[in-house]
Amino acid sequence: MPCKASPSRRPVETDMIDFSCNYFELFGLPQRYRFDPALLDRAYRDLQLAVHPDRFATGDDAQRRVALQSSARVNEAYRALKNPVQRAQYLLTLHGVDAVGETDTQLPFAFLERQLERREAAQDALAAGDDRTLSALLESVRSDAREAEDRLALQLDGEHAYAGARTQVRELTFLDKLAEDLDAMLATLEDR
């Protein structure tokens, strides 16, 4: 069975997705960290059209249930591949590497120290109502995240250094969370 239903025709029960396929296979994408995001978006739309539960509203219970499960799986896969952090974590998982295991959370001291300084500066800016400083911190964090993504692409796609990419994935995860927190702080200032 193919990993996805053919979007060119109305699927029947046997056309539903193959749940044993990984997320990249599901969308017909190369198993790489970097790929054309437009291809993911297009494949997602096509696949959702093919398996959307509304297309099976008149089907039997089994068809409706499989359509719901297929649609949920497509949504889950799309969210994971769309997000650079989740995509890196998933790609490492496919290669037997747990990047965010609770027993190994070490990060370089200099990296952690810089993030602590950023958090302290952000708290001070929030307390002072200084949205310019928060915006500058956010842009700096996003810039570091883009650089981390570039390093990850080299490690994962170029060197296939999956185990070696663990620290980079943890750093990117940390930066992603910090960016979310800074966004929330800026939203708080806007609501005042």
Side-chain angles (χ1 to χ4, degrees):
M1 178 187 325
C3 287
K4 60 183 181 178
S6 171
S8 62
R9 61 184 168 82
R10 182 185 171 110
V12 293
E13 184 176 4
T14 58
D15 286 337
M16 287 299 169
I17 64 172
D18 178 350
F19 287 89
S20 68
C21 293
N22 72 46
Y23 295 166
F24 294 96
E25 293 168 336
L26 184 65
F27 291 115
L29 296 171
Q31 194 169 298
R32 301 175 45 85
Y33 182 69
R34 287 270 165 92
F35 54 78
D36 182 353
L39 293 176
L40 173 63
D41 292 341
R42 189 172 324 126
Y44 170 73
R45 282 190 307 275
D46 291 347
L47 195 51
Q48 251 326 345
L49 283 173
V51 301
H52 196 278
D54 289 350
R55 296 190 73 179
F56 299 90
T58 60
D60 61 30
D61 286 343
Q63 287 175 320
R64 289 193 306 269
R65 184 179 66 253
V66 171
L68 281 170
Q69 292 169 341
S70 295
S71 182
R73 174 75 173 186
V74 168
N75 287 332
E76 171 188 299
Y78 178 75
R79 281 190 304 273
L81 294 185
K82 189 76 172 170
N83 180 287
V85 174
Q86 292 179 30
R87 182 177 40 217
Q89 291 172 353
Y90 183 71
L91 191 54
L92 289 185
T93 300
L94 290 177
H95 291 279
V97 178
D98 182 8
V100 291
E102 292 181 25
T103 59
D104 183 12
T105 58
Q106 290 183 345
L107 286 168
F109 179 76
F111 174 83
L112 290 173
E113 188 173 47
R114 181 162 190 221
Q115 306 326 310
L116 180 59
E117 290 169 0
R118 283 175 162 164
R119 284 198 179 275
E120 289 172 354
Q123 288 298 328
D124 292 345
L126 180 61
D130 184 356
D131 62 334
R132 291 178 65 169
T133 297
L134 280 174
S135 294
L137 284 167
L138 178 58
E139 182 50 40
S140 174
V141 169
R142 287 182 175 157
S143 176
D144 284 358
R146 286 188 296 272
E147 290 173 12
E149 289 176 32
D150 290 343
R151 288 190 301 272
L152 265 175
L154 178 64
Q155 286 178 300
L156 298 174
D157 297 342
E159 301 167 357
H160 305 288
Y162 303 107
R166 292 171 66 223
T167 299
Q168 201 64 51
V169 171
R170 286 194 300 269
E171 285 182 10
L172 183 59
T173 302
F174 198 101
L175 291 169
D176 187 58
K177 173 67 171 121
L178 181 54
E180 285 178 17
D181 293 347
L182 291 168
D183 267 335
M185 289 178 186
L186 279 167
T188 300
L189 288 183
E190 290 173 5
D191 290 342
R192 288 185 181 174

